[in-house]
């Protein structure tokens, strides 16, 4: 089932990454350079794009259910702070609006 999920999300993950780059006015180089470092073949695209847009380092040590693991770092720069979260949310909302406009445009053309 995981392989089917990877296949189904192959294109949407890359579209999400590109929308984040456009909405955040940058990050393309980081996205293409670091996306493959993520454990997920698709999760790295939007995460690396956001790391590039914010000029922050995302990833690193994580905890899932009390089990610690290390994930590769994506992007360069300092670790995120509260201001980074506000900036990321602004980029996210702009990317969402762009996606809705894109979907509406395609629907209108059909």
């Amino acid at each position: 089932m995981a392989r089917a999920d990877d296949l189904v999300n192959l294109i949407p993950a890359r579209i999400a990454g590109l929308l984040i780059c456009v909405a955040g006015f940058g990050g393309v180089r980081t996205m293409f350079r670091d996306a493959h470092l993520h454990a997920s073949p698709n999760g790295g695209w939007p995460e690396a794009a956001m790391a590039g847009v914010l000029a922050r380092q995302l990833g690193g040590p994580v905890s899932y259910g009390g089990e610690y693991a290390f994930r590769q770092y994506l992007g360069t720069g300092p670790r995120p702070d509260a201001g980074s979260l506000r900036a990321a949310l602004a980029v996210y909302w702009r990317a969402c609006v762009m996606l809705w406009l894109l979907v509406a445009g395609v629907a209108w053309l059909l």
Side-chain angles (χ1 to χ4, degrees):
M1 188 56 100
R3 294 217 191 269
D5 179 70
D6 291 344
L7 183 62
V8 168
N9 287 300
L10 189 78
I11 293 171
R14 284 142 184 87
I15 291 171
L18 289 173
L19 286 172
I20 288 168
C21 290
V22 172
F25 310 108
V28 174
R29 182 175 293 141
T30 302
M31 179 180 70
F32 281 106
R33 184 191 70 212
D34 293 353
H36 74 279
L37 298 174
H38 199 279
S40 164
N42 296 320
W45 291 90
E47 191 171 336
M50 188 64 79
V53 165
L54 299 175
R56 295 283 189 240
Q57 189 179 61
L58 302 179
V62 295
S63 174
Y64 293 108
E67 295 290 324
Y68 289 95
F70 180 80
R71 300 290 186 249
Q72 289 292 321
Y73 287 108
L74 306 176
T76 57
R79 301 290 294 152
D81 55 14
S84 302
L85 179 58
R86 284 188 288 277
L89 286 172
V91 171
Y92 167 76
W93 282 110
R94 286 194 303 269
C96 286
V97 168
M98 291 169 49
L99 176 62
W100 281 108
L101 291 173
L102 182 65
V103 168
V106 169
W108 184 76
L109 289 173
L110 297 178

